Amino acid sequence: MSDLQIVLYPHPALKWKSRDVTRIDAQLRQWVADMFRLMYEAKGIGLAANQVALPYRLFVINPTGDPDQPEHEQVFINPEIIRRNGSAEAEEGCLSLPEVFGPVTRAERIVVETFDLNGQSLQMELEGLAARVVQHESDHLDGILFTDRVSADTLRELQPLLDDFTRRFRQAQQAGTIPDNEQLQQRLKQLETERAG
Ligand code: ZN
């Protein structure tokens, strides 16, 4: 059984600028399988590694959100968005901020270069929901949340919800059910070192 779980705002992993994946091995494959499972359990369509407190440039998506349609599953390893075209606004949410939603403007179409789980390099042209999910998840790898991309007015509306998350997180830390930030950051650095080079 895996001990991975989805971390909630404001866990420091969500602000982490993640490191490149340096090798695809059994451990990484296991993490990917766990991430898909957690994503489906949470009714999500994408999940980035730092949302399960793994500081690596990796995310999984399935724009259908349907575990019975695994043909739509895609694993992105060390992805780079190399082209963005057009602009579209749509409501977004995040598994690290349950019940928080807001409109975000993103590129309508993107070209992304990535490695897959076989270490194969590929280039993909995406549009619509898939393009949006990939932009949202790529942001995660740089420590950026969708709430960093909403308008000032929307952020003002969402702020009380974010404050509630912060309050609950601090309470859990004071109660000892979540380690303090220094320990959480130590753990992230340790994970980086374990898989560096
Ligand atoms: Zn998210």
Side-chain angles (χ1 to χ4, degrees), residues 14 46-48 51 92-97 136-137 140 144-146:
L14 300 171
L47 186 66
Q51 291 185 275
E92 293 191 15
C94 181
L95 295 182
S96 293
L97 278 166
H136 175 116
E137 302 307 330
H140 271 303
I144 297 166
L145 296 171
F146 84 90

Side-chain angles (χ1 to χ4, degrees), residues 117-185:
L117 204 48
N118 299 313
Q120 201 85 24
S121 143
L122 24 131
Q123 196 177 92
M124 263 175 277
E125 280 187 52
L126 300 172
E127 60 179 5
L129 185 59
R132 178 169 296 276
V133 179
V134 165
Q135 290 173 86
H136 175 116
E137 302 307 330
S138 294
D139 270 354
H140 271 303
L141 304 185
D142 291 324
I144 297 166
L145 296 171
F146 84 90
T147 47
D148 298 317
R149 298 226 185 256
V150 297
S151 71
D153 281 349
T154 300
L155 185 59
R156 213 167 304 125
E157 281 169 35
L158 296 182
Q159 197 58 53
L161 297 172
L162 299 181
D163 292 344
D164 283 343
F165 275 98
T166 302
R167 197 159 34 240
R168 282 195 293 267
F169 197 80
R170 301 291 172 238
Q171 277 167 358
Q173 287 182 312
Q174 273 152 22
T177 50
I178 297 178
D180 65 33
N181 277 4
E182 199 177 325
Q183 284 171 291
L184 293 172
Q185 282 157 356

